[in-house]
Amino acid sequence: MYFSKLIATGACVPKTVISNQKLSELVDTSDEWISSRTGIRNRHFAQTENASDLAIGTARQILSRCQIAPEDIDLIIVATVSGDYTTPSVACLVQAAIGAKNALAFDISAACSGFIFGLSVADKYIRAGIYKNALIIGSELLSKYLNFNDRSTCVLFGDGSGGAMVVRSDEPGLLCEALGSDGERGLSLTCGHVPTSSPFNGLPRGTDPYVHMDGRVIFDFATRTVPKSVEEMLEKQGVGIEDIDLVVPHQANSRIVEIISRKLKIPMEKFYLNMHEYANTSSASIPIALNELVENGRITPGMTVLFCGFGAGLTWGNMLIRM
């Protein structure tokens, strides 16, 4: 019987840091208004980089940390909603850049749950005996979709990339998962709408690239759905709250995380938060946080870590990992 295990992490973020104070020069807001409501103080914005550049930087860092040659990678999955092109995929651009000529490469679109969805897909390929080595990356360039006249959205997001190498193992590493989607509320968070247009329907060509969000719906969704999903997953797996060493949530809003903590009865001390520095980087937020924990020595082999992703789609993805 095959299992999959996470063996290395990496991350790549733009060097340019935009503070709340800097944003307040563009839009009617303030550091106090943003930080008190979200926990966000800074975010990183790309200058010349694109989503593929950040993903390639992440991939190269991961490769430098594990004993796997590029040509031995079987699968590359990039989770993104802000790729360079509609096609080719970011994953194919990563494949070419790192020389992973034997890898199947494709993107998935699950927004803030994307990295978890990618891990889940890779886990199935590995457990089925099809592949041995899978590179999973979340990479986002959300700054190009922000309306800097809309303070309800432009203050929330940032750019960045993070990822992990998952390999075939004799011992379980990805222990259990609970993924889901709710398309009925999908239009409460949208980005990059391209309406139907051609010379044959007489409709004007135009796009609405910006992020639009009904914050109340998203807040209610995250604080109700995520705790329930986690509880059901842990009960099914026979895992107690006390067995979890760390929780790495999607870095969307500190208030959301505090409510999830209270409902699950997991102390906030076990939750790792870094949205104060990166804001919401969608699919990249969990792997960026995970990589920081690994680099800082906060995660060591044998620890049990809970990932909690939630966002547009609407989607959610929770996964229990043994490092």
Side-chain angles (χ1 to χ4, degrees):
M1 186 174 184
Y2 298 123
F3 300 103
S4 54
K5 192 172 184 66
L6 194 156
I7 64 164
T9 65
C12 181
V13 298
K15 293 181 179 179
T16 300
V17 178
I18 305 297
S19 66
N20 290 344
Q21 178 60 37
K22 189 69 174 177
L23 275 183
S24 71
E25 298 172 8
L26 296 176
V27 64
D28 182 18
T29 190
S30 68
D31 175 62
E32 192 280 330
W33 190 92
I34 300 169
S35 60
S36 65
R37 288 164 174 79
T38 67
I40 297 167
R41 294 190 177 276
N42 297 307
R43 71 281 298 144
H44 294 241
F45 280 167
Q47 299 300 298
T48 59
E49 310 98 324
N50 217 319
S52 65
D53 298 307
L54 301 178
I56 290 164
T58 294
R60 287 174 173 160
Q61 186 175 72
I62 292 170
L63 285 172
S64 73
R65 294 172 172 176
C66 62
Q67 303 300 314
I68 296 175
E71 58 269 23
D72 292 330
I73 298 174
D74 303 306
L75 175 66
I76 300 173
I77 300 175
V78 174
T80 186
V81 295
S82 53
D84 306 20
Y85 308 95
T86 302
T87 189
S89 67
V90 174
C92 282
L93 298 176
V94 171
Q95 183 213 41
I98 66 174
K101 60 183 180 180
N102 297 313
L104 172 68
F106 58 88
D107 290 355
I108 60 173
S109 176
C112 308
S113 307
F115 179 69
I116 307 300
F117 277 43
L119 285 177
S120 176
V121 172
D123 178 57
K124 306 308 177 293
Y125 273 115
I126 291 173
R127 285 175 178 263
I130 299 172
Y131 297 133
K132 292 182 178 180
N133 304 316
L135 178 61
I136 317 302
I137 297 171
S139 190
E140 304 287 8
L141 209 79
L142 296 170
S143 58
K144 64 185 179 182
Y145 292 110
L146 298 179
N147 179 354
F148 288 96
N149 294 312
D150 179 9
R151 75 169 186 173
S152 69
T153 57
C154 74
V155 303
L156 301 177
F157 298 94
D159 302 335
S161 175
M165 183 71 76
V166 179
V167 302
R168 184 184 295 178
S169 171
D170 294 330
E171 298 180 353
L174 278 60
L175 303 179
C176 59
E177 63 181 44
L179 281 62
S181 305
D182 179 7
E184 290 187 358
R185 291 186 286 180
L187 295 182
S188 58
L189 178 49
T190 64
C191 175
H193 177 59
V194 181
T196 302
S197 174
S198 78
F200 307 101
N201 63 13
L203 297 176
R205 184 174 296 277
T207 61
D208 178 6
Y210 299 129
V211 172
H212 298 279
M213 181 174 68
D214 185 330
R216 290 180 181 272
V217 172
I218 300 303
F219 192 94
D220 180 73
F221 153 71
T223 55
R224 290 177 184 271
T225 304
V226 174
K228 180 180 178 182
S229 174
V230 170
E231 286 175 343
E232 291 174 351
M233 178 186 74
L234 295 180
E235 182 178 359
K236 184 177 180 180
Q237 187 69 12
V239 174
I241 295 299
E242 66 281 359
D243 298 321
I244 298 172
D245 296 304
L246 277 172
V247 183
V248 184
H250 169 49
Q251 307 290 314
N253 183 302
S254 58
R255 289 183 176 179
I256 290 176
V257 176
E258 287 166 2
I259 293 174
I260 292 173
S261 166
R262 187 168 67 248
K263 287 189 172 183
L264 290 175
K265 297 181 173 59
I266 300 176
M268 275 299 296
E269 291 73 24
K270 288 191 174 185
F271 285 78
Y272 184 73
L273 304 183
N274 67 357
M275 74 269 293
H276 62 278
E277 176 61 24
Y278 301 104
N280 181 345
T281 55
S282 190
S283 68
S285 76
I286 288 176
I288 289 174
L290 175 65
N291 182 64
E292 282 193 341
L293 285 164
V294 172
E295 289 185 336
N296 296 336
R298 292 278 304 279
I299 286 183
T300 55
M303 291 183 70
T304 300
V305 182
L306 174 64
F307 297 157
C308 298
F310 50 88
L314 299 174
T315 64
W316 64 94
N318 303 300
M319 184 173 284
L320 199 64
I321 304 286
R322 180 168 295 127
M323 301 299 293

